[in-house]
Amino acid sequence: MKLLSALLWSSLLATMAPSAWAQANTIPSQPHLLVKGEARRLVMPDRFGLQLNIEETDMDADAARRRVQDNVARVLALFKQQKAVDGSVRADNLRIGPATRYEQNRQVFIGTRVSRQLRASFASVKAMQDVLGALKANENVQVSSLAPTYSGEVALRRELKGEAAAKTRESAQGLAKAYGTQLRGLYSISDVAPNFAYGIQAGSWPSSGDLVTPPSPEAPMNSIETTGSRLPESIEAGPITYTENVYAIFLISDGT
């Protein structure tokens, strides 16, 4: 049975690659199986996050501050008008500091830079487009990022982790049956892959994405147009893939 355990173990080791994370659980000295369970879900985003940077530079620091605050008030009113998702609006504290530029290889003071960042999320692409259309972005009101997200991410990841854990037991039972062994029980379970190159560390495990598979049918895309910003003219919100992996060690016996 020791030979069987060694063969199973060496075949599992051959599939692993190193990574930089630390592995918390230990590997038992008894015969065992290390298995991976993976659960994946493709969802369409239902939240569209917008981040703006509002800044002014002026020799008169108070004049720069007033202009920034005026733009902040205008943008916050626009967020309210376009029904930003409740609780999603955020306004960072005012930041004030010197502004300089290089002229003839020397740094020249050009005034005081005053800035604030604003964030909000919207429940549809149309609401986002309406905000961008009314924003009148320029060098003082800049769109710094757009980020489609899924509002049910926390619950979805919890569900996927449960599915992945169930798949580890299915995989272990299948391997044990194939080699004529029996599962004695669960030794440890983790969402960090082990690596054995330099002791017990976190590693990576080849996934189905590492194999050559036919491309999936294209999912419908939501198009977001931006104007007057530093972003590309068209940003598309496609599906988001969430994946959870669970790694489990099961103790085994020879079944005799």
Side-chain angles (χ1 to χ4, degrees), residues 3-161:
L3 176 60
L4 172 59
S5 176
L7 290 172
L8 284 173
W9 197 232
S10 61
S11 65
L12 288 168
L13 289 176
T15 66
M16 301 176 188
S19 178
W21 296 51
Q23 172 70 3
N25 57 336
T26 58
I27 301 299
S29 58
Q30 306 99 307
H32 58 276
L33 290 173
L34 170 60
V35 291
K36 170 190 173 182
E38 179 183 288
R40 181 175 299 185
R41 198 75 50 81
L42 196 71
V43 298
M44 290 301 296
D46 60 358
R47 293 291 183 269
F48 302 89
L50 171 65
Q51 179 171 303
L52 303 176
N53 188 54
I54 299 177
E55 67 176 44
E56 292 280 350
T57 300
D58 200 301
M59 285 294 187
D60 184 340
D62 192 56
R65 181 193 62 80
R66 288 196 303 269
R67 292 200 299 272
V68 166
Q69 296 296 69
D70 287 345
N71 273 324
V72 167
R74 178 177 68 84
V75 172
L76 290 177
L78 181 60
F79 286 171
K80 183 177 181 180
Q81 177 186 345
Q82 298 301 331
K83 297 181 173 57
V85 175
D86 289 343
S88 70
V89 177
R90 295 285 186 275
D92 289 354
N93 292 330
L94 205 66
R95 293 177 295 177
I96 301 177
T100 60
R101 69 183 175 207
Y102 280 93
E103 292 182 359
Q104 297 180 347
N105 296 323
R106 67 188 186 92
Q107 204 171 35
V108 178
F109 176 74
I110 60 173
T112 299
R113 178 176 291 114
V114 181
S115 65
R116 289 188 78 177
Q117 283 191 337
L118 301 181
R119 301 177 183 84
S121 291
F122 301 88
S124 70
V125 172
K126 183 182 184 305
M128 173 72 77
Q129 289 173 328
D130 290 342
V131 170
L132 294 173
L135 187 61
K136 298 178 181 178
N138 52 47
E139 63 180 1
N140 302 119
V141 180
Q142 303 169 7
V143 179
S144 57
S145 70
L146 298 174
T149 59
Y150 178 58
S151 61
E153 178 181 355
V154 173
L156 177 59
R157 286 195 179 280
R158 189 182 302 117
E159 180 182 338
L160 292 175
K161 212 171 274 289

